[in-house]
Amino acid sequence: MKKGLIFILCVSLLFCFSATASAVNLQDESIYHVAVDRFYNGTTANDGERKGGLEHFLGGDLQGVIKKLDYIKGMGFTIVSLSPIFQNEANGFHGKWVKDFKKVDEHFGTMQDLKQLTKEAHKRDLKVMIDFVFETGPNHPWLSDPAKKEWFVEGSTTFDVSRPDVQAFIIDVAKWWIKQSDIDGYRLIDANRTEPQFLKKMAEEVKSVKKDFVLVADIGGGDPNTYQNSGIDAVMNTYFAKNAQKSFSNVDEPLSGLDGFTQSNLPVVSFLDDEDIVRFTRKAVENEAFPVTRLKLALTYLYTLPAVPFVYYGTEIALDGGNGAVNYRMMDFRTSTEIVEYITNLADIRKILPSLRTGQYHLLYEKDGMLVYQLKSGDETSIIAINNTSQTKSVTIGFRYLPDNHELRGYLKGGSIKSSKDGYTITLERETSEIFKLDEQKGASIPFISILVGVPVLFILFLYAAYKKGKGKQPS
């Protein structure tokens, strides 16, 4: 237990650094990440030879993403994030075996398709972000070209960004795509393999083309302090993903220490899984837990933190996964919409309550899988309660933390909790959660009471008058 707490503290310190280097405000954004080949087949014209199997291209393309923009927008997302779309070597469905950095892979479509996607997304107030990789495919001719083989870290396909000529090439590519397609951001894959000084230069160059361009760095298990002044707008919070999976993928798991991943002044992008982390659903299945219930609790936590939510395609249908290509299963749009509706509801609540996006986090209670925390921003206070246990749980939050004569208004299930002599008693059924807003307790107003009482009285008097009038007209 002590080792766990020490680890949590260390992670907290890793994320506690200044956000002054961030030039773009991401606090109101939420990201939906698409593996293009596995999302939706918008046209069969670019399918090519279909070999079948998860290790090959399965037909998803940019036209498919265009046709599903309303679906993505409907869930409340503001950024569409695409897996790498550069031309790839054979079977590079994931986009990471780059063959040509200035072509769209023919399986995904054309540059015109990307331009159309960006245009249609912007019509819907959606931003478009694509994954940018700093490596080639394993069979790229440059790896054995005497003029280019020095461009790579020895024994790998990763570019050596310490070289000025490599830097010039990457920056040229990065600016070229922005000018060609008007995209809005890059998720820099394996940015921890590059150098912060280079990322700073890259950030300055791309933002000279589009000043509000978004750069999110995937730093793996790297030290975020390294990227403090690199011009990066946010970092992927891998620590959150691994620990949220551990805590929420099974019932009766303790939730202690999760708050350690929220203490950051630098914008962080928090997620439950992605292409490189085994899907949350797989972890729940391995624990013989119901994935939908488990996902709802995890998503509540994801959406009620001062961070940018990042959702990997298929999470909304509890898509299964595993290691490698198994984590890239084909999306199914004909399945249950239960989690889709839940994500949509969370997005709406997050929009209504600014404290969920910008609030100061404060832990109020945590014991044996029951968690209550507060987010305060200006005059607004939100209270989030999560019961990760197999039993109904009650906890009373005293006036040490919350003022008297107020009420907690529920946003997921509705209803309200008024203060008692001891505080506010929150009761949750097993494996459920609730988002509350702290409001002043409102008594029934005199005008409202007058209406409630007066309308029935007037109606009775009307009936009596009608009766008397009718009786007077009867013949004797």
Side-chain angles (χ1 to χ4, degrees):
M1 185 64 178
K2 289 183 178 179
K3 289 183 178 179
L5 290 174
I6 291 172
F7 174 73
I8 297 299
L9 179 60
C10 290
V11 172
S12 299
L13 292 174
L14 283 176
F15 281 104
C16 288
F17 54 92
S18 171
T20 56
S22 177
V24 179
N25 184 3
L26 295 175
Q27 65 188 30
D28 295 330
E29 308 286 1
S30 56
I31 303 171
Y32 184 84
H33 184 66
V34 172
V36 177
D37 181 62
R38 305 303 159 94
F39 191 56
Y40 189 68
N41 194 345
T43 173
T44 59
N46 53 33
D47 284 1
E49 183 182 359
R50 298 290 294 275
K51 297 181 179 179
L54 292 174
E55 294 79 15
H56 304 281
F57 286 96
L58 296 184
D61 48 38
L62 295 174
Q63 283 296 324
V65 179
I66 293 171
K67 291 179 179 180
K68 292 298 180 180
L69 284 175
D70 288 332
Y71 168 81
I72 297 169
K73 174 74 174 179
M75 286 188 286
F77 293 100
T78 62
I79 297 177
V80 182
S81 173
L82 307 178
S83 59
I85 60 172
F86 307 152
Q87 187 182 61
N88 261 237
E89 296 179 4
N91 301 326
F93 66 89
H94 42 65
K96 296 182 179 180
W97 293 345
V98 181
K99 181 179 180 181
D100 192 324
F101 281 85
K102 285 191 176 181
K103 286 184 180 179
V104 175
D105 192 282
E106 57 269 20
H107 294 88
F108 302 146
T110 65
M111 179 59 75
Q112 187 58 41
D113 292 325
L114 180 60
K115 290 179 180 179
Q116 183 186 355
L117 169 57
T118 305
K119 184 177 180 180
E120 291 297 325
H122 290 171
K123 286 181 183 178
R124 295 163 173 80
D125 293 324
L126 288 168
K127 295 182 177 69
V128 177
M129 175 186 294
I130 65 175
D131 283 357
F132 194 101
V133 293
F134 297 97
E135 60 183 326
T136 66
N139 301 307
H140 201 287
W142 286 358
L143 295 170
S144 56
D145 183 348
K148 288 288 197 322
K149 66 178 182 179
E150 297 299 324
W151 278 28
F152 300 91
V153 175
E154 186 175 357
S156 77
T157 59
T158 303
F159 285 118
D160 181 359
V161 298
S162 66
R163 294 176 57 94
D165 47 359
V166 172
Q167 292 183 11
F169 169 76
I170 292 174
I171 290 172
D172 174 65
V173 169
K175 294 169 71 173
W176 184 85
W177 283 91
I178 302 171
K179 294 174 182 177
Q180 290 291 316
S181 62
D182 196 28
I183 56 174
D184 306 289
Y186 290 130
R187 185 172 71 129
L188 306 176
I189 302 300
D190 295 327
N192 51 302
R193 297 182 185 176
T194 65
E195 296 179 351
Q197 297 87 343
F198 163 67
L199 291 179
K200 184 176 182 179
K201 183 178 180 180
M202 182 179 181
E204 291 172 351
E205 291 284 349
V206 298
K207 290 174 188 288
S208 71
V209 179
K210 195 169 187 177
K211 65 179 180 179
D212 56 352
F213 198 78
V214 177
L215 291 174
V216 175
D218 167 24
I219 61 172
D223 181 357
N225 281 309
T226 307
Y227 304 89
Q228 181 173 356
N229 298 309
S230 65
I232 297 300
D233 298 303
V235 294
M236 299 292 289
N237 193 353
T238 306
Y239 296 106
F240 175 91
K242 293 181 178 179
N243 286 274
Q245 280 200 5
K246 181 179 179 181
S247 295
F248 287 111
S249 64
N250 200 11
V251 67
D252 289 319
E253 286 289 331
L255 303 179
S256 59
L258 281 176
D259 59 308
F261 303 95
T262 66
Q263 309 304 312
S264 173
N265 291 321
L266 178 78
V268 294
V269 176
S270 295
F271 59 106
L272 300 177
D273 49 25
D274 67 4
E275 67 275 17
D276 295 323
I277 298 177
V278 173
R279 282 190 178 270
F280 183 97
T281 294
R282 172 48 30 194
K283 293 293 185 179
V285 170
E286 291 173 352
N287 290 326
E288 299 183 355
F290 184 46
V292 173
T293 303
R294 301 281 86 219
L295 272 167
K296 284 184 175 181
L297 292 186
L299 285 165
T300 299
Y301 191 66
L302 179 69
Y303 269 79
T304 57
L305 293 176
V308 181
F310 176 103
V311 175
Y312 188 38
Y313 87 100
T315 297
E316 72 272 29
I317 61 168
L319 193 63
D320 202 355
N323 292 307
V326 183
N327 233 31
Y328 288 88
R329 295 179 187 271
M330 200 71 192
M331 178 67 180
D332 184 357
F333 289 95
R334 296 171 296 178
T335 188
S336 170
T337 61
E338 184 176 352
I339 306 177
V340 172
E341 294 165 0
Y342 195 77
I343 289 175
T344 305
N345 194 19
L346 287 173
D348 289 340
I349 296 170
R350 189 171 182 268
K351 186 181 297 183
I352 293 169
L353 302 178
S355 55
L356 301 184
R357 309 188 302 270
T358 63
Q360 184 68 35
Y361 180 99
H362 182 64
L363 178 66
L364 301 181
Y365 178 89
E366 191 285 314
K367 186 177 181 182
D368 301 329
M370 180 70 176
L371 176 68
V372 182
Y373 53 94
Q374 168 186 282
L375 290 168
K376 186 174 178 61
S377 178
D379 296 330
E380 183 182 281
T381 299
S382 296
I383 306 296
I384 296 86
I386 300 175
N387 180 4
N388 195 44
T389 77
S390 54
Q391 299 177 345
T392 297
K393 292 283 187 178
S394 293
V395 57
T396 299
I397 306 300
F399 301 125
R400 173 186 173 188
Y401 300 110
L402 301 176
D404 195 0
N405 298 320
H406 282 62
E407 63 182 16
L408 301 179
R409 289 182 51 206
Y411 277 74
L412 282 175
K413 298 182 176 64
S416 63
I417 299 172
K418 291 180 171 58
S419 61
S420 63
K421 63 182 181 64
D422 297 319
Y424 300 83
T425 300
I426 299 172
T427 300
L428 292 181
E429 295 179 358
R430 59 171 294 172
E431 299 181 81
T432 60
S433 58
E434 183 57 287
I435 301 169
F436 299 99
K437 180 186 176 185
L438 181 70
D439 279 337
E440 290 186 5
Q441 191 168 334
K442 299 177 178 65
S445 66
I446 298 299
F448 183 67
I449 293 174
S450 299
I451 292 172
L452 288 178
V453 175
V455 170
V457 170
L458 290 172
F459 184 65
I460 292 171
L461 290 174
F462 169 77
L463 292 176
Y464 179 72
Y467 168 76
K468 292 291 287 183
K469 186 178 181 179
K471 187 174 181 181
K473 289 182 178 180
Q474 291 182 0
S476 55

